[in-house]
Structures are given as structure tokens and as C-alpha cells.
Amino acid sequence: MNPGTTNIRRIVAFSCLCLALLLILVGLARSHKVYDRVEGEMQEFGILTYQRVTDLQLVIDATFSGVLREGNRLVSTYDRSMPRGKQSCPT
Amino acid sequence: MTGPCPEASNPAPPECERFGDHGGRQGWTMDKRRIFQIVSLFFLHSSSGWEAKWFCLPVLSCHSCSLSWFACPIGVFIHYNGYRVFPFLALGTVLLLATLGGRLLCGWVCPFGLLQDVMYKIRSPKFRLPRWTSWMKYVVLFAMVFLFPLLQGEYSLYSFCRICPASAIQVTLPNLVGQGFQITHSGTAIKLGILGAILILVTFSSRAFCKTMCPLGALLAPFNLISFWRVRPATTECISCHRCDKICPTDARPSVKILESTAPNRAPECIACHDCQAVCPKAGE
């Protein structure tokens, strides 16, 4: 095999590895605004409450549709103050 | 099982190809993979309470299964596209494992891969799919994992989760049994129909789903070209007997790479099963 090709392959592989680690680090540092469902009086007065959710938690929420997109906001589908337990995705 | 294949330079008889029985050290290499696949199957689906679903393991195993430990990257990408949020963590973990191993997990860990390997052992006429069909999985990846969920949201009817055969086995079928086999949604019937068609197809053509439809395979395939995992050719003096081509479950034509003195897993279709090493008559010489 051409040694030049091998070197290019190694450079690309190491670049991908660095990019992967960078993405993981950024992911670990990131958080997302997830709004609570608006009900009752809060709906009447237009009060919105949200929680900061880590990317780790958002991945977990994605496995059972714990978060939905409504308009431009991410909205929680369950009460985050309660213990969740195992849930499955409705799709 | 049939007896061991003769060590001649002629292509292996069909019965040896079908059952992968090549005796001695060579047979052990294939058995090792099968053992690893079975252990992985039980390990991946043994979560009784605690789970690690923040981690995306790039194998086709539905995270909606109540016994699964890890998240499915395809399902997570579909949801993140629906959320219009960039999946830093999910993409990072997939990129990391893909760069380290390429499609190694497809061959050694993927539970749906194991099912396809088992189905292919059923005695039936065998055929190879045309090579152009391997491009279909890239269309599936682009359209059903990225485009439609991005345009229509995570509940798009055209997302891959809606037709995923792994999800059909792990989630749809158990739910159907729980509901007394009452199909109340046309989507359920379509999903099960697709599962049935895939199971029939993989009986006739080895790893047909991996080759033609698997979006994870499409995602990981380009990383075969650069991954740190390397399948060493069994010999530097290839005699072009093409036994490796015949045994290859994904028709990746390892002999072409071996003749170029390149690792056989540098082909995008290769699942690093190492079967080409195991059947080489020049191995160990």
C-alpha cells in the first residue's frame, strides 16, 4: 500500500477522533431550555416556566419522547419533579 | 453440520460456505464471533432497572425495549432533528466508536445482524443482490433519519423508526402480544409487513438488510476507510482462490483489497467479521 495514502488515512482518523472528543466535550457542557407544560392559571396569565436540561438528559428524553417541539420551544411531556422510571417511546 | 472443507485451492463447496464449518483454528475464529454476538445480545438487553440511555451505541437495537441498556443513535438523531437541536453528544459518541472500529460492531455486536446470520443458515436457494442496491441505505439515512424528521418533526410518518425491523421485534410484537393480537393502527401492520419481508429476504441473501437498508450501516460505512481497526489479510501471497469472496457475508469482495495489499475492511460494506481470514487456505503459511 502507498505510504502516502496510509499517512493521509491516519491524519483523517486522528482528526475524526479529535472532532469526536470535541463534540462529546461540547455536548457535556451544553444545556437546553425545556419548558413545562402550561396549564390552568399559568395559561391564563401566559406564565412560562422552564428548566435547564443537560444534553445527557435530552438524549435520555429522546429515547421515550420525554420532550416535544412546540413552535420554537422544547416542551417536557412529563413532570420532572417526579421519579420517572422506565418509559418507552410512543413511536 | 458437514465435515471440514478440504484444504485445496479450489473454492469451498457450497455446504461449507453455508455453515461456516472450516474446522480447527479457522472454525474457532467464526465460533468466537458467534459467541460474542450471543453474549452481546443478552448483555444489551438485560437492563432490569438501571440504564445508560445517555450513551448511543451504534447497533440496531431499539431503545424503547424495556430491557435495553443504551440509546439507538438513529432514534436519537431522528428526535434531535425534530427538535432542531444539534446532537453533539450522540454524534460525538457515534463518531468516536466509528473512528475506532468502523463497522466492527455490525459484525460482532448488532443483534439484528445476529438474527440475519441465523436466518441465512436456513436451507434455501441463495442469491446475491445487485451491487447498486447497497446505495439504497444512504438514501434511507438521508431521507428517513435527517430530511423528513427535520421537515415534519420527530413524529414524521416517514421516519426510520416507523419501519425499523428491530423496533418491530423488540417493541411492536411484544405490545401486540400484550394486546391480544389486535392491530388497531395501520402503521403497526405496515411495520410488521416490512419486518416479514426483510426476514424472508435475509433467508435468501446474506445480510441483505445491512447491505440495502440499514441507516446505521450507511452512517458507519465511510469510517471503514479510516478506522483504527484493521483486518489483517491472512496472507501476502494471495492465490486468487476467491474463498474469501464466497464466505463474505456482505459481498465486500475482500480479495480485491488483499490483492491491493490493503486491509479487507477498507471496503465500505465490510463488517469486520474476519471470516475472510478464517477461510484463507494460505493462512499461517
Side-chain angles (χ1 to χ4, degrees):
Chain A
M1 191 172 32
N2 185 354
T5 316
T6 311
N7 284 339
I8 292 169
R9 189 168 282 160
R10 279 194 193 133
I11 291 166
V12 176
F14 274 106
S15 307
C16 285
L17 208 59
C18 293
L19 180 65
L21 294 173
L22 183 72
L23 287 172
I24 291 171
L25 285 175
V26 172
L28 289 173
R30 260 184 117 206
S31 64
H32 310 272
K33 269 185 190 177
V34 175
Y35 288 83
D36 297 319
R37 279 222 178 271
V38 183
E39 288 163 348
E41 281 186 3
M42 291 165 79
Q43 195 169 22
E44 200 173 315
F45 295 109
I47 299 168
L48 293 172
T49 56
Y50 68 84
Q51 295 180 42
R52 281 260 163 210
V53 166
T54 60
D55 209 28
L56 278 175
Q57 184 58 46
L58 196 65
V59 171
I60 297 171
D61 282 337
T63 67
F64 64 92
S65 296
V67 166
L68 293 176
R69 187 178 176 85
E70 286 181 4
N72 291 323
R73 295 193 192 96
L74 296 179
V75 177
S76 184
T77 58
Y78 66 103
D79 183 358
R80 284 165 192 271
S81 60
M82 302 292 283
R84 170 173 62 85
K86 279 197 161 186
Q87 293 192 37
S88 58
C89 177
T91 56
Chain B
M1 295 286 275
T2 57
C5 290
E7 286 294 308
S9 59
N10 295 325
E15 65 270 22
C16 296
E17 290 164 30
R18 189 175 298 137
F19 293 105
D21 182 5
H22 296 269
R25 188 190 64 77
Q26 296 175 339
W28 168 237
T29 309
M30 294 172 181
D31 291 344
K32 210 161 51 176
R33 183 167 76 95
R34 200 65 74 225
I35 291 165
F36 205 92
Q37 283 177 304
I38 293 167
V39 170
S40 301
L41 173 71
F42 285 105
F43 174 70
L44 293 178
H45 306 100
S46 61
S47 164
S48 56
W50 192 77
E51 51 195 358
K53 289 187 179 172
W54 45 268
F55 185 80
C56 290
L57 188 72
V59 295
L60 205 69
S61 170
C62 186
H63 51 215
S64 293
C65 171
S66 56
L67 294 174
S68 66
W69 282 97
F70 305 110
C72 167
I74 294 301
V76 170
F77 289 151
I78 287 171
H79 276 82
Y80 266 68
N81 281 325
Y83 301 158
R84 313 246 170 95
V85 172
F86 190 82
F88 282 97
L89 198 63
L91 190 63
T93 47
V94 171
L95 190 60
L96 180 72
L97 293 171
T99 309
L100 292 176
R103 290 184 74 179
L104 181 73
L105 294 175
C106 300
W108 289 72
V109 177
C110 182
F112 201 71
L114 171 65
L115 178 66
Q116 288 178 79
D117 289 345
V118 171
M119 293 297 290
Y120 190 65
K121 286 195 182 297
I122 295 172
R123 282 184 184 273
S124 61
K126 308 294 182 193
F127 65 86
R128 287 171 189 232
L129 294 168
R131 296 199 76 80
W132 62 264
T133 55
S134 64
W135 291 98
M136 282 164 48
K137 61 180 177 292
Y138 298 101
V139 178
V140 171
L141 174 69
F142 174 72
M144 303 187 88
V145 177
F146 295 109
L147 186 67
F148 288 121
L150 196 68
L151 296 176
Q152 301 178 335
E154 65 270 30
Y155 287 116
S156 167
L157 285 174
Y158 305 106
S159 79
F160 184 76
C161 290
R162 301 282 183 185
I163 61 159
C164 178
S167 159
I169 290 175
Q170 291 175 258
V171 183
T172 312
L173 272 177
N175 280 340
L176 203 64
V177 172
Q179 292 163 3
F181 295 96
Q182 287 182 334
I183 298 178
T184 52
H185 196 269
S186 60
T188 308
I190 291 168
K191 198 169 185 176
L192 292 175
I194 289 170
L195 170 68
I198 288 169
L199 290 181
I200 291 168
L201 183 64
V202 298
T203 310
F204 299 114
S205 183
S206 172
R207 292 265 185 162
F209 175 78
C210 300
K211 284 184 281 190
T212 60
M213 269 186 79
C214 184
L216 256 177
L219 198 65
L220 300 177
F223 291 94
N224 265 359
L225 304 177
I226 56 148
S227 72
F228 289 101
W229 191 268
R230 189 167 172 268
V231 178
R232 289 180 193 282
T235 181
T236 50
E237 294 162 3
C238 179
I239 54 169
S240 299
C241 68
H242 297 288
R243 281 189 181 198
C244 49
D245 293 344
K246 289 198 162 72
I247 199 84
C248 180
T250 55
D251 301 332
R253 291 194 292 191
S255 69
V256 175
K257 295 288 172 191
I258 293 167
L259 283 168
E260 291 171 357
S261 302
T262 310
N265 67 318
R266 294 297 175 223
E269 296 306 316
C270 176
I271 54 167
C273 65
H274 291 245
D275 287 358
C276 52
Q277 272 183 336
V279 294
C280 181
K282 299 285 277 181
E285 281 184 15

